[in-house]
Amino acid sequence: MMEGSGWLPLWLSISVWDESFWLPHNVSRAQLENSQDPVYPRLKDLYFILPWTWAIYVLRLLFERFIATPFAKFLGVDCRPIQKAQQNVVLEKVFKDITTEPGKTHLNRLAKQLDWDTKKVIQWFKLRRYQDRPSLLTKFCESMWKFTFYLWAFSFSFYYLSKSPWLWNTRECWYNYPFHELSFQIYVHYMMEFAFYGSLIFSQFFDVKRKDFVVMCIHHHVTILLLTIAYVANMTRAGAIVLLLHDAADIVLELAKMANYAKWQTLCNIFFLMFAVVFIVTRLVIYPLMSIRSVFYESWEIIGPFKIWGFINLLLITLLIMHIYWSHLIIRMVFKAFHKGKVSKDDRSDVDSSSDDEDQSEQNAHAKTS
């Protein structure tokens, strides 16, 4: 008899290789794989995801160096390299092993040990904390890359989806399912989204670190999993709508960030308020009422339940929970913006804020006195 703790992974591993896990009853994988006209999504298509991902990552590096960086300089973004604290073995050990912000007693003890003025020790720790932060140029280039991709993805998907009946009537996502032809537009859209989120999973360890790092990591993996399920199970129509809804708000968010890094505060405020509205409307209203409702209710009504149905709904609801979490942060930022008259800090981020001005001033003051 199977142990209770081990039956679920075993059941899942067996189910994943079972055709009935992915497809409705009386439909075989061979029917989709062997069809030449029309063409349906094939498992071997997934082998191309890795080359697509590396291509997108290399494209990002080239874009940031040859397009985003010159554009940032043109806009007047502060491109000065971050000044590093002078090397000091004693203070570095304290910073890495004990604390990044020592108290008054500890500071006095360190000053006495090094024969430094206490203010100099305080300034060293400020510079040391600041040097681990990405520069404004780095953050601007990252945001400009994401803005460019989201703008392309949203425009491209809306262009071909607007000509498709299933965008306006989601029941069309399930009629004659899973025998939906894989068009060239859907193939390109999915491969690009696969590659983009795959590259983010890799680059998130080098990109700007935010407080919601773990949540974003979960988000990227859930997105990749949803894309895989939608492609393998040929739910590409419903999946394309989900992607369209998610890309809309991200365009405006990256615009707000770029305006913030360029010190265009009024424009930043406008874009951020636009982002808040678009995010809440698309992800807390349209997404559950259109996408989740279609996958949960309409698919059940038209084709009936099959094994993957419950799992994909669980993933869609997981995304919705993350949207609720982010909406809480966004609404809190909006209230702060009205109170202070500007969007002063991204609540998701330890480093992504306009408080960089203060840190830059501290750097400049230190440079003048050292």
Side-chain angles (χ1 to χ4, degrees):
M1 193 174 201
M2 241 185 276
E3 292 293 334
S5 60
W7 74 268
L8 183 59
L10 179 60
W11 173 84
L12 186 58
S13 65
I14 293 173
S15 296
V16 166
W17 295 108
D18 184 0
E19 285 187 350
S20 64
F21 181 79
W22 297 95
L23 299 170
H25 301 296
N26 302 321
V27 178
S28 69
R29 170 59 54 186
Q31 289 177 270
L32 302 180
E33 295 283 340
N34 298 331
S35 176
Q36 300 298 322
D37 186 19
V39 174
Y40 304 117
R42 300 173 180 177
L43 290 176
K44 66 180 182 180
D45 294 342
L46 301 181
Y47 296 146
F48 296 99
I49 292 176
L50 188 58
W52 276 81
T53 299
W54 280 110
I56 283 289
Y57 185 68
V58 171
L59 179 62
R60 172 184 174 173
L61 296 179
L62 295 174
F63 177 89
E64 290 186 354
R65 180 172 181 178
F66 296 107
I67 298 178
T69 297
F71 189 66
K73 293 177 179 178
F74 172 77
L75 294 180
V77 175
D78 188 350
C79 299
R80 288 174 292 178
I82 293 177
Q83 182 183 350
K84 295 185 177 181
Q86 68 182 83
Q87 292 185 353
N88 188 288
V89 177
V90 175
L91 298 182
E92 188 69 25
K93 183 174 179 59
V94 172
F95 184 87
K96 289 185 175 180
D97 298 341
I98 303 176
T99 178
T100 60
E101 296 187 55
K104 185 176 180 180
T105 304
H106 200 177
L107 287 169
N108 291 334
R109 189 164 63 248
L110 289 170
K112 185 176 181 180
Q113 180 181 350
L114 297 170
D115 195 24
W116 282 14
D117 184 76
T118 305
K119 290 183 179 179
K120 187 176 180 181
V121 178
I122 295 173
Q123 192 64 42
W124 187 94
F125 277 97
K126 286 182 178 179
L127 283 176
R128 184 61 184 83
R129 288 193 298 271
Y130 186 78
Q131 79 180 40
D132 288 336
R133 299 182 177 190
S135 66
L136 283 178
L137 177 61
T138 299
K139 292 190 283 188
F140 182 91
C141 290
E142 178 187 329
S143 288
M144 187 172 176
W145 161 250
K146 291 180 179 179
F147 161 76
T148 303
F149 178 84
Y150 291 133
L151 180 62
W152 172 85
F154 179 82
S155 302
F156 180 75
S157 58
F158 184 77
Y159 170 75
Y160 79 81
L161 284 173
S162 63
K163 301 178 181 180
S164 307
W166 58 83
L167 178 63
W168 314 110
N169 178 12
T170 53
R171 295 179 67 86
E172 293 285 345
C173 294
W174 311 109
Y175 291 140
N176 198 36
Y177 174 82
F179 299 104
H180 296 159
E181 182 177 5
L182 178 66
S183 67
F184 175 74
Q185 292 93 336
I186 289 182
Y187 174 79
V188 170
H189 187 197
Y190 267 76
M191 288 299 112
M192 289 292 284
E193 295 279 2
F194 266 125
F196 179 72
Y197 284 102
S199 69
L200 287 184
I201 289 176
F202 168 74
S203 67
Q204 67 183 339
F205 299 100
F206 312 103
D207 289 337
V208 178
K209 296 295 187 298
R210 297 185 171 87
K211 290 179 181 178
D212 65 345
F213 174 82
V214 175
V215 179
M216 285 302 297
C217 188
I218 295 172
H219 173 269
H220 296 336
H221 282 84
V222 169
T223 301
I224 290 289
L225 193 55
L226 276 169
L227 284 169
T228 303
I229 292 172
Y231 196 84
V232 172
N234 201 16
M235 297 181 183
T236 52
R237 293 181 176 182
I241 295 174
V242 172
L243 290 171
L244 176 72
L245 293 175
H246 281 69
D247 288 335
D250 290 327
I251 297 172
V252 195
L253 173 62
E254 300 306 332
L255 274 176
K257 289 182 181 180
M258 290 164 62
N260 184 40
Y261 303 145
K263 310 303 180 189
W264 295 354
Q265 193 60 53
T266 301
L267 199 58
C268 172
N269 294 345
I270 294 171
F271 282 141
F272 183 78
L273 290 176
M274 288 173 58
F275 159 71
V277 172
V278 174
F279 186 95
I280 291 172
V281 170
T282 56
R283 301 200 188 188
L284 292 189
V285 180
I286 301 178
Y287 170 66
L289 293 181
M290 185 177 186
S291 292
I292 294 181
R293 176 180 173 275
S294 178
V295 177
F296 192 87
Y297 291 107
E298 293 176 348
S299 67
W300 181 294
E301 181 183 353
I302 295 173
I303 62 176
F306 53 105
K307 291 180 180 178
I308 198 65
W309 178 89
F311 187 52
I312 197 168
N313 275 288
L314 177 63
L315 293 176
L316 290 173
I317 292 172
T318 301
L319 277 182
L320 180 61
I321 292 171
M322 287 187 279
H323 296 161
I324 294 171
Y325 165 75
W326 282 318
S327 295
H328 163 72
L329 299 182
I330 291 167
I331 292 170
R332 191 167 68 178
M333 283 187 65
V334 169
F335 278 108
K336 285 184 179 180
F338 277 112
H339 178 69
K340 296 183 178 180
K342 66 175 184 177
V343 179
S344 60
K345 185 173 182 180
D346 187 341
D347 280 345
R348 297 184 309 141
S349 172
D350 287 320
V351 296
D352 189 11
S353 72
S354 57
S355 61
D356 289 328
D357 288 334
E358 299 172 5
D359 295 317
Q360 190 67 49
S361 298
E362 291 172 358
Q363 266 199 325
N364 294 339
H366 176 75
K368 291 176 182 178
T369 56
S370 59

